[in-house]
Amino acid sequence: MKKIFILVMLCSLLVIFGCSKKDIQSPYSYNCSLEGKVSFTGMPPDSVSALVSLFTIGTITQPSILVADTYTDNTGYYHFEHLTNIKVDIHIEADRFDTQIISNVVLHSTQTDSVHTVTLLPLPVIQILTPVLDGVVDAGWDPTYVNTITSTVSGWGNNDLKNLYLARDSVNLYIVLTGMFPTTENTVNFYLDKDYGVTTKTGISDFSLISGGTTGDHLRKNVTTPSSFGADIGFSAWHFNTDMSMAQLSTTGAATVITTPIYHIINSPGTGDDVIEISIPLTEIYGSANIPANTKIAIVAIIAGVNDDLYIDNDTIPMMSSQANPHQTTNPFVFSDVIRIKM
């Protein structure tokens, strides 16, 4: 009996000291609260609700993890209880509205932290149509983006990106770029985020990390985008119609060539805009023709040197405010904004 009593006492001490050591080492509390408010441009808050999600700060090697989520009430207000004293990213999304992210919010023990009111802006919805890929933009197909800065801004002469058209049907996503495109030396590239605004980010936002054969070489440029953007697919055409290819891009930048897209290139010197038309099967983008609910896509486009990662024409989609003067480029070139649309 004495031996049993001693064993019980030893086990009890181990449990007590083990728990004490764990409690002392742990930096976390679970008594934090967070609140905020969302407004919706053009709509009262009682007619729509936003999903507010809290995520840990993610990295390429350690993806962010969902901590908690909730919906706004009929006043646009949201509130979280029993949170841990860590930093979080707040993702706010609603159908037909642009996703907003509040980054690196610090949660403090024993208090309710308030964040600034977020105003969600409405997103355009992609047109549903099946265009004819013949070098002429179909009647009734409105541009998603119009470059309002004149072509004289370009520091590379007749190398200009003008309009971007996006559309889809039940089978394909259609992308059209118009402008004046190089027939020597340079590449025309675009980068597509298939699920813009999602928290578990896919794709890559630093294009200098892209690798993988000739396609990877042409897509690799010293260009960065906002962290909310992750290019899942990249397209490149060298000399306007040479080495024309498309690739899936991983979070590390590895490029895997896609063979199914259909390309149509029209070079019309002196008679009108050059045109790049592309049809991409939805199955290549999403794994099936069924587009996930509330999906938003985003895109950027550049004209760049072919054998050098550094040189980017200062005529891009979208244009940045820093590009108001000729020859004004930066290294790396930084997109502070991207084109977004609801699928």
Side-chain angles (χ1 to χ4, degrees):
M1 181 65 71
K2 185 175 180 181
K3 289 183 180 180
I4 293 174
F5 176 76
I6 292 172
L7 285 173
V8 170
M9 288 296 293
L10 286 172
C11 291
S12 300
L13 288 172
L14 286 172
V15 169
I16 292 171
F17 282 110
C19 292
S20 299
K21 185 176 181 181
K22 181 179 179 181
D23 291 341
I24 291 170
Q25 286 182 339
S26 173
Y28 303 118
S29 66
Y30 293 88
N31 54 7
C32 308
S33 300
L34 179 71
E35 65 178 6
K37 200 164 187 180
V38 179
S39 64
F40 307 89
T41 302
M43 296 188 70
D46 61 351
S47 64
V48 61
S49 63
L51 174 63
V52 183
S53 305
L54 308 183
F55 288 85
T56 58
I57 309 299
T59 64
I60 290 178
T61 58
Q62 187 173 358
S64 56
I65 299 172
L66 177 65
V67 175
D69 58 19
T70 190
Y71 284 92
T72 55
D73 65 16
N74 60 4
T75 69
Y77 176 77
Y78 62 89
H79 185 89
F80 292 93
E81 291 280 358
H82 309 300
L83 299 175
T84 306
N85 56 320
I86 58 174
K87 283 185 179 180
V88 295
D89 287 339
I90 305 174
H91 287 240
I92 303 173
E93 59 182 302
D95 188 36
R96 299 191 178 223
F97 283 86
D98 196 5
T99 299
Q100 295 290 324
I101 300 174
I102 309 175
S103 300
N104 295 311
V105 176
V106 179
L107 303 177
H108 298 91
S109 297
T110 68
Q111 72 181 56
T112 298
D113 291 293
S114 298
V115 296
H116 62 271
T117 297
V118 170
T119 300
L120 295 187
L121 301 175
L123 275 184
V125 179
I126 198 166
Q127 287 181 261
I128 308 299
L129 58 87
T130 304
V132 178
L133 302 186
D134 59 358
V136 178
V137 177
D138 286 21
W141 191 0
D142 299 321
T144 300
Y145 175 81
V146 176
N147 187 346
T148 57
I149 300 178
T150 62
S151 60
T152 55
V153 170
S154 174
W156 288 6
N158 293 331
N159 289 266
D160 299 298
L161 286 160
K162 292 186 178 179
N163 294 351
L164 167 70
Y165 296 81
L166 297 170
R168 73 165 179 88
D169 55 23
S170 60
V171 179
N172 298 304
L173 171 66
Y174 302 96
I175 300 173
V176 171
L177 294 170
T178 66
M180 289 183 286
F181 301 134
T183 55
T184 59
E185 295 183 351
N186 301 328
T187 62
V188 181
N189 294 357
F190 74 72
Y191 305 83
L192 174 70
D193 184 342
K194 68 181 182 181
D195 50 6
Y196 177 80
V198 300
T199 312
T200 306
K201 179 182 169 184
T202 58
I204 190 167
S205 56
D206 182 351
F207 303 158
S208 69
L209 302 177
I210 295 174
S211 63
T214 301
T215 302
D217 289 343
H218 292 342
L219 289 171
R220 184 178 59 253
K221 303 300 173 190
N222 205 15
V223 173
T224 62
T225 60
S227 59
S228 56
F229 179 92
D232 301 288
I233 292 175
F235 165 85
S236 181
W238 177 36
H239 290 188
F240 193 53
N241 58 13
T242 305
D243 284 350
M244 187 165 50
S245 57
M246 183 174 287
Q248 300 273 7
L249 301 173
S250 72
T251 54
T252 60
T256 304
V257 173
I258 308 171
T259 58
T260 54
I262 298 172
Y263 314 119
H264 193 84
I265 305 295
I266 297 295
N267 180 226
S268 51
T271 61
D273 289 340
D274 298 331
V275 180
I276 298 176
E277 297 182 318
I278 301 169
S279 169
I280 314 172
L282 295 174
T283 52
E284 285 285 4
I285 304 173
Y286 298 109
S288 77
N290 297 319
I291 301 171
N294 199 28
T295 293
K296 300 154 188 174
I297 62 173
I299 194 169
V300 296
I302 63 172
I303 297 175
V306 65
N307 292 318
D308 197 302
D309 301 348
L310 304 181
Y311 296 105
I312 312 297
D313 182 22
N314 62 314
D315 202 85
T316 61
I317 292 179
M319 292 286 284
M320 301 290 97
S321 59
S322 63
Q323 295 167 265
N325 299 302
H327 305 283
Q328 185 167 347
T329 57
T330 58
N331 184 21
F333 184 88
V334 178
F335 280 103
S336 58
D337 197 10
V338 299
I339 305 300
R340 302 175 294 280
I341 194 168
K342 186 182 184 302
M343 286 286 278

